Amino acid sequence: MADHTPTQDQVDEVYQPKDAIGGAVKATAVTAAAGAFISTIQNTLTRHNVGAMGAFTRFGGTTAVYAAMGGVYEFTKNASANLREKDDAYNPAMGGFMAGTMLGLRFRSAPAIIGYGAALAVVLGAFSYTGGKLEGYHRDPTVDEVARKEYLRKNRRRPIEEIANELGEGRGIYAPGYVERRAQRIKDAYGIDVPTNSTPAS
């Protein structure tokens, strides 16, 4: 009887559905808090004395826009991934477009809606495509990071002979054969035989 047990690669390729609604609720809460913080700053910097409630009555639109952008982005990204059954850069791009349209709605202009949506889609899509990290591509998970750094350190390490020629020997820098050369110099200068089995003092 044939063994139909899936391999690890096959298991990794199976798409795992995402909770679009739950993710949208969490994202809305986070971005709404950020929007409320920005609204508070706007209210503090205003020249008119509108009181603490001005952050909600006068600048509440900022909180609403932030909340809408976060919720729409997360829901669209996860819903797109569930419908396509793929977790790639297109999902953040679609989410970014919808989030950008939320920002463009404040200007009540079709070009602004499309422009902000397209701009945010390009930025988030490119960010996800390049690995979703500021430092760029994904590192190989099979390569040990400590071993990789040790290899790079050794690969860029200069030979001790080169360093000794540039800086001179001493102060902790000793090229191979230093003890023998030192003993020969002392013998030539003072006629004293110095044992060569001792290590140089640091």
Side-chain angles (χ1 to χ4, degrees):
M1 184 175 180
D3 185 10
H4 298 288
T5 304
T7 63
Q8 184 62 39
D9 293 337
Q10 292 174 337
V11 172
D12 293 338
E13 291 177 359
V14 175
Y15 176 77
Q16 301 295 330
K18 304 178 184 296
D19 184 5
I21 297 178
V25 171
K26 294 178 182 178
T28 301
V30 172
T31 52
F37 178 72
I38 300 297
S39 299
T40 304
I41 295 177
Q42 290 177 322
N43 185 61
T44 303
L45 297 178
T46 186
R47 295 184 178 181
H48 302 284
N49 186 13
V50 293
M53 292 303 296
F56 302 98
T57 59
R58 187 167 185 174
F59 300 103
T62 301
T63 304
V65 170
Y66 271 73
M69 288 180 65
V72 168
Y73 167 77
E74 193 69 18
F75 178 81
T76 305
K77 183 187 72 170
N78 292 334
S80 172
N82 291 338
L83 292 174
R84 299 173 60 243
E85 294 187 353
K86 290 182 180 180
D87 197 3
D88 53 18
Y90 288 105
N91 302 322
M94 294 179 187
F97 179 81
M98 297 303 296
T101 59
M102 295 295 104
L103 181 60
L105 285 175
R106 294 194 66 178
F107 300 94
R108 300 177 182 179
S109 170
I113 294 173
I114 298 175
Y116 278 103
L120 203 55
V122 171
V123 171
L124 293 178
F127 181 71
S128 177
Y129 182 77
T130 55
K133 296 182 179 180
L134 295 178
E135 64 263 27
Y137 67 91
H138 284 297
R139 292 192 178 98
D140 188 356
T142 61
V143 177
D144 182 65
E145 189 65 16
V146 176
R148 186 184 72 86
K149 291 183 178 180
E150 285 292 335
Y151 169 77
L152 293 176
R153 194 174 292 116
K154 292 179 181 178
N155 195 33
R156 290 171 172 79
R157 187 174 296 165
R158 299 173 63 187
I160 186 64
E161 294 84 357
E162 182 180 344
I163 297 176
N165 290 334
E166 291 184 5
L167 303 180
E169 292 181 317
R171 305 176 305 281
I173 302 175
Y174 303 101
Y178 169 78
V179 175
E180 290 78 6
R181 291 193 301 273
R182 176 176 175 272
Q184 187 63 39
R185 286 197 303 268
I186 294 175
K187 183 176 181 180
D188 294 341
Y190 306 104
I192 300 174
D193 290 327
V194 179
T196 60
N197 57 354
S198 60
T199 58
S202 57

